[in-house]
Amino acid sequence: MTLEILQPGLQTTVQDEGRLGLYAGGMPPSGAMDKASYRMGNLLVGNPDGLASLEITYLGPEIAFRDDAVIAVTGAQMTPKVNGEPIANWRSHAVRADDVLSFGFIESGARAYLAVAGGIDVPPYDGSRSTYTLCGLGGFEGRALQAGDVVPVGTGVDGRAGLDVPVDLQPDLGGDTELRVVVGLASYRLQPESLETFLTADWTVTPDANRVGYRFRGAELHFVEREQPAGAGSDPANVVDFGYPIGSIQIPGGVEPIALLADAVTGGGYATIATIISTDLDRIGQSKTNDHVRFREVTLEDALEARHQARARLDRVRALLTDSQEHAIG
Amino acid sequence: MADDSVIRSPVPGVFYRRPDPGSPPFVEEGDEVEPGTVVGLVEVMKQFHELRSESSGRVRGFTVDNEDVVNAGDTVVELDGAG
């Protein structure tokens, strides 16, 4: 089975759970920016966990199916259409060979996920089909899709049309949002009132916001003056190199904080003052240029509780859809 | 959805009237455009997205200035006699 890319959109890439376990060697995980929406897409079309989908950013592609397929669009609201007729997102649909999927303007969120029964079947690289474009590996030839690409789809999954994720179980879609952070590891490098400013200011997502990181504008922050230790750079924001947690926030020069995301460098010499909790990485993945965000400090216990709740929500969706699929035989 | 009398940006980002600082603008007020005519660029995620007219008409004016930040769905150009 295949689908053909007629128009690629702005940045459409193959993503899955990510390339895990290689961080210490400098390999970021890549993977879907909004895991909850991506996972629910797989559940809607009956895919086993971890099959790859297409991540669609800001501007939808135009895709021709070359075979009958079952699909679902989750995540950002950008009115999916089949042969020009709008279809519901968060719902599984049967499409026929030669049907064309297109999208309207983005209305909320930043990234939509197209799940196809059988999954996007590009060769895995280091155990993942996720695209890491900076190094040109994984996904479809290591790059964003282009017009004319013929993308393989796996077989052996019989998806069923007409399944929904109920509204109350759909994730929040970014926009103006609050991102919960655990303060540290090097927050001691900020002047105390600057840490307060960081946690109270209204931050705007700049046009520099992609899978590598998001840059914010809104306030200037000041570091504690010191004689820099041997091995650290001269910018007060510099420290001796250490690992960067995924979701960690650094502030080169004290202006425009940067949150490092799925495709980011894994370590370096900037003080990281806080780290976005894992569930809220989904939320930042659904915020876009010009959106406003605030950072709110939580404890590690709060972060683990948020993760527990997110898993419980996914389990409810899984139970609901698995139940529907089992009762539909016949 | 489709309104032939305006050209909107489908993506958020920084709007540019010219292909590069040393070149003239893609189009000026009063210019005729056709389907596919490039009227500007929007820079986002370190990429430039070309804004193209979907209809024929005459440029009545721009609703945003060069290097303004636009939101997805914002109108950037108004057309007269579009069809």
Side-chain angles (χ1 to χ4, degrees), chain A residues 111-238:
Chain A
R111 291 173 173 83
Y113 292 87
L114 171 64
V116 184
I120 303 297
D121 197 21
V122 294
Y125 182 97
D126 268 342
S128 166
R129 294 183 174 85
S130 288
T131 316
Y132 179 32
T133 55
L134 292 184
C135 284
L137 58 86
F140 189 93
E141 298 179 7
R143 57 169 172 79
L145 294 169
Q146 295 170 3
D149 286 346
V150 175
V151 180
V153 174
T155 52
V157 175
D158 293 325
R160 201 171 66 79
L163 303 180
D164 294 282
V165 175
V167 172
D168 59 321
L169 293 176
Q170 294 169 14
D172 261 358
L173 280 188
D176 295 350
T177 192
E178 183 180 72
L179 298 169
R180 291 166 290 183
V181 298
V182 173
V183 168
L185 291 167
S187 46
Y188 67 90
R189 290 290 307 120
L190 269 186
Q191 295 184 10
E193 55 273 22
S194 279
L195 183 58
E196 193 55 32
T197 301
F198 172 74
L199 293 168
T200 51
D202 173 47
W203 298 99
T204 304
V205 181
T206 69
D208 293 322
N210 59 23
R211 292 182 45 85
V212 175
Y214 272 43
R215 188 188 285 266
F216 301 93
R217 189 175 297 133
E220 199 161 323
L221 305 173
H222 302 282
F223 288 83
V224 177
E225 289 299 324
R226 66 169 178 178
E227 190 168 325
Q228 292 289 80
S234 56
D235 182 341
N238 285 139

Side-chain angles (χ1 to χ4, degrees), chain A residues 10 59 105-106 207-209 290, chain B residues 10 45-47 49 69-72:
Chain A
L10 187 70
L59 179 68
F105 273 28
I106 191 157
D208 293 322
N290 304 337
Chain B
M45 299 196 304
K46 306 200 190 301
Q47 314 179 48
H49 177 74
V69 174
V70 296
N71 284 309

